[in-house]
């Protein structure tokens, strides 16, 4: 009889006993259990755990202690001399100094007198103290010593550019700018004639012929310098080259004689709303010129000659709605380290415009010299998805105007907008002649004085017909503008900003701006005869059943849906089958030949594609795109934005008469014409639902942004917590912007 065996013996005999062979159950990585002690952690969830915010709270607390100490000191003095006590309920602003600090003279500093407000643009810089009613306007240019000026040299072409046939410019002005421009000019003239007839305007046939005949026969009158009462005061250059200044800025740079000895070359560090990388050879030279322009403006225009006193001032700097991060961080470093301002804050253009106009919600349309920006502002915040930046403005209108006048035999046919005196003459002619009222489209005679250093003044007479109205209509027909050279030099010196953690491009982009880029790309493709509607720098994603159109927005949304924490895919365990690698469909290709999806590389590729597309779109379509994205399919918000369009900027001001004609209370303007184009673009809008208005209170459209920034700079610390001080910048650097700016950085 066999004895009873234990269970362990049976499992050992039958081979069922569990043995440890040091092999894992699975090759997939094991996720450990969550440590319950740290599961409810508050790390970086409170303001006192972030040094930047903690420093701000400590500053506020120290200010309250300081104000309480000042009140106690005033109370002690009151018991001795019987003076009145300050009101404890009134908050003392950072820019206000108590009377005892001024020696008991009863004087207090004006609110905002210690804040410098800077709004740089492509053509003009507006700068002033926050306590000023209006800013000082300075040309945003600098002139350096050079062998040649900006209009000399074989590689420099005249502006507007004249086409050459067999290496020479043709004698007939109709051929100077190509058949495309000439045909577009004629078509827009015909459309304007049709519009005038619908408005019951009297239109005579072939009215352009009398104007061109007069211009062809016109010859200038010579006026000697001593008989010219309005002669120009040119910038004086010392006769010896060694004593001549190295540079001039602002108006002095524009008034340097072209044939000066030594020569000076003019530079504009900001062009088309971007940093002008085309005309510079290094990044340092570009930012050095910006520093020179700002520094000279602060010293001369604000009467602050001593740089060591600037640490007592704060600075409010206006940036575009769609900005380059490197531009913002570089300006922050310049203002704090080079200029030594005690504190600095940034504000976006559209938000500053809403501050200046005193409106909480509006669609801001800012028509500048070389760019037009559109953004919907709601309750004091810029709606990020609605931001649009178009690369045309008043300077393009100037060039188009003189192209058309040269076709119509403009008597001063040698005009070159690269020359300083011709540039100033063109700006003067534009502001005097442009109109958006079809009642003014008649044959009209004008005169101007051409003043050149070292030459007698010449007086020209000329006539225009419809050119002064067709030129600004280019805002709604961008093909009228020359955009061939606006992308030259882009990203030559300054690379695109990239995210610190995942390496993807960090410069902001909006859904509305992507719509504009797609429209511009299709337009370019159609113009070049590409039936697919894409350029050679893009690819089309397609399926065997149906070909999908190229869509930057869809691709970007797909990429953004990928979690940021999983940039690179986790590798599979060894021996795990890989369908993409082992499938016979790839023909036995090596693993290194199979393209892997990299979301970061895809984002970088999309960013590079966008850099090769110039954002151009008719203004009325761009406004509707911006409002559509800003309203987010909310009909009420859409109606509010369409009925609250505010047009600002110098490019719009010249087309909006400030004084209404008493004989015609419905004097047309740029805003009125814009309303008509918006209703034509979207016919379902009611006539009274569209309103494009000027800023309220007769505020100058050119200074609305600066005015809003000055108001922002006068807010107390409790109302403006975006100030960046010197000490915290020394500790954190540009990382502070993520906590300080009022938008998503």
């Amino acid at each position: 009889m066999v004895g009873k065996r234990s269970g362990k013996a049976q499992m050992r005999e039958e081979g069922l006993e569990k043995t440890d062979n040091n092999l894992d159950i699975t090759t997939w990585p094991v996720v450990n259990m969550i440590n319950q002690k740290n599961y409810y952690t508050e790390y970086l969830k409170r303001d006192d755990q972030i040094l930047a915010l903690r420093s701000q709270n400590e500053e506020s607390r120290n200010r309250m202690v300081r104000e309480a100490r000042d009140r106690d000191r005033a109370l002690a003095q009151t018991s001795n001399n019987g003076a009145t006590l300050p009101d404890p309920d009134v908050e003392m602003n950072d820019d206000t100094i108590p009377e005892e600090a001024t020696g008991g003279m009863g004087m207090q500093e004006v609110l905002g007198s210690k804040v410098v407000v800077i709004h740089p643009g492509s053509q003009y810089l507006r700068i002033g103290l926050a306590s000023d009613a209006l800013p000082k306007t300075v040309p945003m240019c600098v002139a350096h010593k050079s062998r040649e000026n900006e209009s000399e040299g074989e590689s420099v072409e005249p502006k507007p550019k004249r086409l050459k046939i067999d290496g020479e410019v043709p004698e007939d002005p109709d051929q100077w700018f190509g058949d495309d421009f000439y045909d577009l000019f004629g078509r827009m003239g015909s459309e304007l004639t049709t519009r005038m007839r619908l408005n019951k305007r009297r239109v005579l046939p072939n009215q352009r012929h009398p104007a061109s005949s007069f211009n062809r026969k016109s010859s200038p009158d010579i006026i000697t310098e001593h008989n010219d009462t309005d002669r120009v005061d040119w910038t004086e250059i010392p006769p010896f080259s060694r004593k001549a200044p190295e540079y001039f800025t602002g108006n002095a740079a524009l008034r340097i004689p072209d044939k000066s000895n030594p020569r000076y070359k003019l530079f504009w560090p900001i062009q088309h709303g971007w940093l002008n990388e085309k005309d510079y050879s290094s990044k340092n030279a570009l930012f050095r010129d910006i520093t020179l322009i700002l520094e000279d403006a602060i010293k001369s225009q604000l009467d602050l000659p001593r740089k060591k006193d600037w640490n007592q001032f704060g600075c409010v700097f206006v940036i575009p709605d769609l900005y380059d991060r490197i531009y913002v961080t570089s300006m922050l470093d310049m203002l704090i380290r080079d200029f030594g301002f005690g504190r600095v804050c940034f504000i976006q253009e559209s938000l500053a415009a809403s501050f200046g106009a005193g409106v909480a919600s509006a669609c801001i349309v800012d028509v500048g010299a070389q760019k037009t920006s559109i953004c919907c502002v709601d309750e004091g915040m810029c709606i990020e998805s609605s931001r649009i930046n178009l690369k045309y403005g008043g300077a393009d209108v100037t060039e188009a105007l003189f192209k058309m006048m040269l076709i119509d035999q403009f008597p001063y046919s040698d005009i070159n907008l690269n020359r300083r005196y011709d540039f100033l003459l063109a700006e003067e002619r534009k502001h005097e002649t442009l109109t958006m009222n079809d009642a003014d489209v008649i044959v009209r005679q004008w005169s101007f004085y051409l003043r050149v250093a070292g030459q007698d003044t010449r007086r020209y007479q000329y006539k225009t017909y419809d050119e002064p109205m067709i030129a600004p209509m280019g805002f709604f027909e961008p093909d009228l503008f020359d955009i061939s050279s606006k992308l030259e030099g882009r990203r030559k010196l300054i690379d695109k900003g990239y995210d610190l953690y995942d390496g993807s491009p960090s410069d902001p982009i909006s859904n509305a701006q992507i719509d504009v880029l797609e429209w511009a790309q299709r337009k370019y493709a159609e113009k070049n005869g590409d039936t697919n509607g894409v350029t050679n720098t893009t690819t089309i994603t397609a399926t065997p059943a149906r070909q999908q159109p190229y869509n930057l927005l869809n691709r970007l949304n797909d990429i953004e849906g990928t979690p940021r924490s999983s940039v690179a895919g986790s590798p599979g365990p060894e021996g795990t089958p890989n369908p993409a690698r082992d499938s016979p469909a790839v023909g036995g290709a090596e693993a290194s030949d199979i393209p892997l999806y990299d979301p970061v590389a895809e984002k970088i590729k999309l960013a590079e594609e966008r850099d090769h597309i110039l954002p151009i779109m008719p203004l009325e379509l761009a406004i509707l795109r911006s409002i559509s994205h800003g309203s987010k399919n909310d009909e009420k918000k859409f109606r509010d934005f369409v009925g609250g369009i505010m047009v600002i900027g110098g490019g719009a001001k010249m087309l909006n008469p400030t004084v209404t004609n008493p004989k015609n209370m419905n004097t047309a303007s740029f805003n009125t014409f814009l309303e008509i184009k918006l209703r034509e673009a979207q016919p379902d809008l009611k006539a009274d639902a569209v309103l494009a208005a000027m800023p309220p209170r007769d505020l100058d459209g050119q200074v609305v942004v600066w005015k809003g920034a000055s108001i922002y700079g006068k807010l107390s610390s409790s109302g403006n917590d975006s100030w960046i001080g010197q000490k915290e910048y020394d500790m954190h650097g540009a990382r502070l912007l993520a906590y300080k700016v009022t938008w998503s950085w």
Side-chain angles (χ1 to χ4, degrees):
M1 180 176 179
V2 180
K4 185 178 180 180
R5 292 176 297 175
S6 64
K8 291 184 177 179
Q10 289 181 348
M11 294 182 66
R12 185 168 53 253
E13 293 176 358
E14 297 176 3
L16 299 177
E17 183 181 10
K18 181 180 179 181
T19 58
D20 187 6
N21 54 6
N22 296 325
L23 293 177
D24 295 333
I25 298 175
T26 177
T27 57
W28 289 97
V30 178
V31 179
N32 297 324
M33 296 290 292
I34 296 176
N35 188 346
Q36 295 296 326
K37 293 182 179 180
N38 299 329
Y39 186 66
Y40 296 102
T41 181
E42 295 182 353
Y43 179 64
L44 292 183
K45 291 184 179 180
R46 297 200 310 266
D47 289 352
D48 57 357
Q49 294 174 338
I50 300 174
L51 185 57
L53 302 179
R54 187 167 66 245
S55 302
Q56 178 180 319
N57 295 334
E58 290 176 357
E59 181 182 353
S60 300
R61 187 163 52 250
N62 293 336
R63 186 179 66 254
M64 293 175 61
V65 172
R66 185 171 61 252
E67 293 174 359
R69 189 181 296 118
D70 292 338
R71 285 195 296 268
D72 293 341
R73 186 183 299 112
L75 180 62
Q77 294 178 356
T78 302
S79 59
N80 297 329
N81 53 26
T84 58
L85 284 173
D87 188 358
D89 296 331
V90 178
E91 181 182 0
M92 184 178 298
N93 189 273
D94 297 340
D95 301 323
T96 305
I97 297 180
E99 294 183 8
E100 52 267 22
T102 59
M105 300 299 294
M107 298 173 58
Q108 288 187 347
E109 287 189 359
V110 179
L111 185 64
S113 60
K114 290 292 185 180
V115 177
V116 177
V117 182
I118 301 175
H119 179 204
S122 301
Q123 189 163 315
Y124 290 105
L125 165 70
R126 291 181 173 85
I127 187 171
L129 298 176
S131 57
D132 296 339
L134 295 173
K136 306 293 191 304
T137 301
V138 181
M140 189 71 185
C141 62
V142 58
H144 290 282
K145 280 184 180 178
S146 178
R147 296 181 179 178
E148 297 175 334
N149 61 39
E150 63 277 6
S151 62
E152 295 177 336
E154 296 180 357
S155 60
V156 180
E157 297 178 340
K159 187 178 179 180
K161 180 181 177 181
R162 295 163 174 80
L163 299 180
K164 294 182 179 180
I165 300 177
D166 296 333
E168 295 183 358
V169 178
E171 297 182 0
D172 189 359
D174 293 348
Q175 303 177 7
W176 282 358
F177 310 110
D179 295 337
D180 292 341
F181 182 85
Y182 185 79
D183 295 341
L184 181 60
F185 179 27
R187 179 175 64 81
M188 294 181 68
S190 301
E191 293 176 356
L192 178 59
T193 301
T194 303
R195 183 183 296 271
M196 293 172 62
R197 286 173 176 165
L198 292 175
N199 293 335
K200 308 301 182 183
R201 305 292 185 191
R202 183 184 179 187
V203 180
L204 298 178
N206 199 15
Q207 291 200 38
R208 191 175 294 164
H209 179 70
S212 59
S213 299
F214 178 87
N215 296 337
R216 188 182 297 108
K217 300 175 182 178
S218 178
S219 59
D221 299 328
I222 306 300
I223 302 175
T224 56
E225 184 177 359
H226 64 274
N227 289 329
D228 186 4
T229 57
D230 296 326
R231 57 181 177 269
V232 176
D233 294 331
W234 301 97
T235 301
E236 295 184 2
I237 306 295
F240 300 101
S241 177
R242 294 180 180 179
K243 295 183 179 180
E246 291 295 329
Y247 68 91
F248 290 93
T249 63
N251 289 306
L254 285 176
R255 288 302 185 183
I256 298 176
D258 281 36
K259 303 298 182 181
S260 63
N261 185 17
R263 291 283 198 275
Y264 282 85
K265 187 175 182 179
L266 203 63
F267 291 90
W268 301 83
I270 299 179
Q271 291 284 273
H272 315 301
W274 289 327
L275 291 172
N276 182 13
E277 303 171 62
K278 174 184 175 182
D279 297 334
Y280 287 88
S281 58
S282 68
K283 177 181 176 181
N284 292 335
L286 173 59
F287 283 103
R288 179 196 61 190
D289 279 2
I290 297 178
T291 304
L292 293 176
I293 296 171
L294 296 180
E295 184 175 342
D296 282 8
I298 294 173
K299 290 180 178 179
S300 60
Q301 303 297 326
L302 305 185
D303 195 20
L304 297 173
R306 296 191 303 176
K307 202 171 181 178
K308 63 180 181 180
D309 296 336
W310 294 0
N311 61 353
Q312 303 175 12
F313 289 78
C315 177
V316 179
F317 196 88
V318 182
I319 62 173
D321 301 325
L322 286 174
Y323 52 85
D324 290 342
R325 288 172 66 107
I326 293 181
Y327 169 70
V328 178
T329 55
S330 300
M331 295 310 302
L332 175 61
D333 188 78
M334 178 191 302
L335 295 172
I336 289 185
R337 298 197 185 278
D338 297 343
F339 291 176
F341 285 118
R343 53 181 186 167
V344 176
C345 72
F346 294 95
I347 185 172
Q348 294 171 294
E349 286 180 338
S350 296
L351 182 59
S354 67
F355 269 74
V359 295
S361 299
C363 178
I364 309 296
V365 181
D366 187 354
V367 184
Q370 298 181 9
K371 59 98 178 170
T372 299
S373 62
I374 307 168
C375 181
C376 294
V377 178
D378 188 23
E379 299 299 334
M381 292 294 292
C382 292
I383 302 178
E384 295 183 356
S385 60
S386 68
R387 296 174 295 178
I388 288 178
N389 196 312
L390 305 173
K391 297 307 178 184
Y392 56 70
D396 298 281
V397 175
T398 305
E399 186 174 350
L401 173 65
F402 276 87
K403 279 185 177 180
M404 291 182 287
M405 290 198 302
L406 286 170
I407 290 177
D408 287 341
Q409 307 292 332
F410 185 64
Y412 179 38
S413 60
D414 193 35
I415 188 170
N416 182 1
L417 301 183
N418 289 328
R419 289 195 291 254
R420 299 158 204 163
Y421 57 86
D422 282 348
F423 167 77
L424 296 174
L425 172 66
E427 289 294 311
E428 173 196 335
R429 292 290 86 214
K430 177 183 70 174
H431 285 84
E432 184 175 351
T433 60
L434 287 188
T435 181
M436 291 297 284
N437 185 4
D438 54 11
D440 296 332
V441 180
I442 57 176
V443 178
R444 181 172 296 185
Q445 182 172 334
W446 309 89
S447 64
F448 66 91
Y449 295 86
L450 177 63
R451 297 179 174 90
V452 183
Q455 300 181 16
D456 291 334
T457 302
R458 284 170 284 175
R459 179 177 181 269
Y460 286 89
Q461 291 185 335
Y462 69 101
K463 288 184 177 182
T464 61
Y465 174 51
D466 54 2
E467 303 94 333
M469 185 166 179
I470 294 179
M473 287 172 63
F475 287 120
F476 313 99
E477 191 76 35
D479 290 340
L480 191 67
F481 300 147
D482 182 12
I483 61 174
S484 58
S485 61
K486 292 190 176 183
L487 283 177
E488 290 183 5
R490 180 68 171 155
R491 304 297 181 191
K492 184 182 75 172
L493 304 176
I494 303 174
D495 294 331
K496 183 180 287 291
Y498 294 93
D499 190 88
L500 181 63
Y501 298 100
D502 63 6
S504 61
S506 56
D507 291 340
I509 189 70
S510 67
N511 295 339
Q513 184 75 358
I514 293 176
D515 285 354
V516 173
L517 294 175
E518 290 179 352
W519 187 95
Q521 189 181 42
R522 288 194 299 268
K523 189 73 174 178
Y524 177 81
E526 293 172 0
K527 186 176 181 180
N528 289 273
D530 187 353
T531 57
N532 291 328
V534 293
T535 63
N536 56 1
T537 60
T538 61
T539 57
I540 299 179
T541 57
T543 61
R546 180 181 176 185
Q547 185 175 2
Q548 301 292 335
Y550 177 79
N551 194 325
L552 273 173
L553 180 59
N554 292 341
R555 292 178 63 191
L556 187 63
N557 291 338
D558 293 340
I559 296 169
E560 291 294 344
T562 305
R564 293 170 65 91
S565 60
S566 59
V567 176
S570 301
E574 294 183 4
T576 304
N578 188 342
R581 180 188 61 205
D582 303 333
S583 174
V586 298
E590 296 293 336
S592 58
D593 298 333
I594 306 301
L596 298 178
Y597 175 76
D598 187 353
V600 176
E602 186 70 11
K603 286 183 179 181
I604 295 175
K605 180 181 178 181
L606 281 176
E608 292 176 352
E609 289 176 358
R610 289 196 295 264
D611 282 345
H612 290 86
I613 305 172
L614 187 70
I616 292 290
M617 191 181 203
L619 184 59
E620 74 277 13
L621 298 183
I623 293 175
L624 291 175
R625 293 289 177 93
S626 175
I627 293 176
S628 176
H629 285 283
S631 61
K632 299 178 181 178
N633 298 325
D634 188 341
E635 292 185 4
K636 183 179 182 302
K637 279 191 174 296
F638 185 87
R639 292 195 302 268
D640 292 342
F641 285 137
V642 170
I645 300 173
M646 186 172 68
V647 184
I648 61 174
K653 181 195 173 186
M654 65 183 177
L655 299 169
N656 284 310
T658 56
V659 180
T660 304
N661 187 353
K663 296 182 180 180
N664 183 8
M665 299 305 293
N666 296 320
T667 300
S669 64
F670 179 74
N671 291 10
T672 306
F673 197 87
L674 176 60
E675 293 174 2
I676 296 173
K677 298 297 290 186
L678 287 170
R679 289 194 292 268
E680 291 178 356
Q682 191 156 341
D684 58 337
L685 292 174
K686 297 181 180 179
D688 56 349
V690 182
L691 178 60
M694 294 288 291
R697 301 186 299 276
D698 295 332
L699 193 61
D700 189 352
Q702 298 180 100
V703 301
V704 173
V705 174
W706 183 93
K707 193 67 177 177
S710 68
I711 296 172
Y712 188 70
K714 288 187 285 188
L715 294 176
S716 61
S717 297
S718 59
N720 180 4
D721 56 359
S722 60
W723 289 105
I724 299 175
Q726 287 185 349
K727 292 183 179 179
E728 53 186 350
Y729 181 75
D730 291 338
M731 289 188 291
H732 300 285
R735 290 175 296 173
L736 278 171
L737 291 168
Y739 302 102
K740 292 292 187 175
V741 296
T742 58
W743 63 91
S744 176
W745 178 259

